[in-house]
């Protein structure tokens, strides 16, 4: 078990610095990942918020799409927030036809889903696996999850006011599937590092190690 794991933040675009700060607050060492060699060194990866269509394009321009996909397929622990959640899905609704995603989590994600009601908002939510007070979740042109496949655990829902979201009510906004974690919201913009602590715990448990 690695006491202080090295976790990369995909740094092509988006809120990289906030994730690095939150990871360090959660007991990890954080590095930017822009090249395949940098990716090889990390034991976990954060895919930040930003714009998934742009991120998809930049991943190809920087020749990083396949290397990231390969490591995810091999079980590298990953946390995607907002656009990062979209990048992890195996089906994206309201995306651009040429936008690609890693398909690491069997789920259908709808881009800009809350936008039809309200673009950006904050609310307190309970997140399974995170003890204590509810988590202050910040949603910025956020996606929601419309379908989860086998092996996907729903960690949080939020009432979107549309009366949809299944029997429990509310749209799915946080999921875990094996070594993959995804949230519609942006835990890195608050001072509360509990979601990052949860992810660092996943990385410690997986002990993926760098690529030799
Ligand atoms: N709407 C963005 C997208 O489709 C995600 C927004 C965000 O990451 N804050 O990628």
């Amino acid at each position: 078990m690695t006491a202080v794991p090295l976790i990369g933040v995909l740094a092509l675009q988006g809120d990289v610095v906030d994730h690095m700060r939150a990871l360090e607050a959660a007991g990890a060492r954080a590095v930017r990942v822009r090249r395949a060699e940098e990716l090889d060194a990390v034991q976990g990866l954060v895919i930040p918020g930003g714009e998934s269509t742009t991120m998809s394009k930049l991943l190809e321009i920087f020749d990083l799409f396949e290397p990231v996909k390969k490591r995810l397929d091999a079980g590298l622990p990953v946390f995607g927030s907002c656009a990062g959640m979209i990048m992890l899905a195996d089906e994206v609704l309201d995306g651009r036809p040429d936008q690609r995603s890693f398909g690491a989590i069997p789920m259908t994600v709808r881009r800009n889903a809350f936008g039809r009601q309200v673009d950006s908002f904050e609310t307190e939510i309970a997140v399974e696996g995170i003890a204590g007070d509810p988590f202050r979740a910040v949603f910025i042109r956020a996606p929601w999850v419309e379908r989860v496949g086998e092996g996907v655990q729903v960690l949080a829902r939020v009432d979107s006011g549309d009366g949809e979201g299944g029997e429990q009510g509310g749209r799915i906004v946080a999921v875990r599937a094996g070594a993959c974690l995804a949230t519609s919201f942006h835990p890195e913009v608050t001072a509360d590092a509990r979601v990052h602590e949860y992810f660092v715990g996943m990385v410690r448990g997986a002990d993926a190690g760098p690529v030799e």
Side-chain angles (χ1 to χ4, degrees), residues 157 163-170:
R157 291 176 181 265
E164 297 291 332
E167 278 169 26
Q168 287 113 311

Side-chain angles (χ1 to χ4, degrees), residues 55-100:
M55 213 181 288
S56 159
K57 242 183 257 158
L58 290 173
L59 278 159
E60 294 196 333
I61 292 169
F62 281 74
D63 283 329
L64 263 180
F65 191 94
E66 294 309 328
V68 171
K69 177 151 178 44
K70 218 167 131 191
R71 280 217 74 189
L72 297 186
D73 289 349
L76 181 72
V78 64
F79 167 35
S81 65
C82 204
M85 169 188 257
I86 297 169
M87 293 306 303
L88 293 178
D90 70 353
E91 188 183 17
V92 177
L93 303 178
D94 293 340
R96 281 175 47 130
D98 60 346
Q99 129 170 51
R100 295 179 71 193

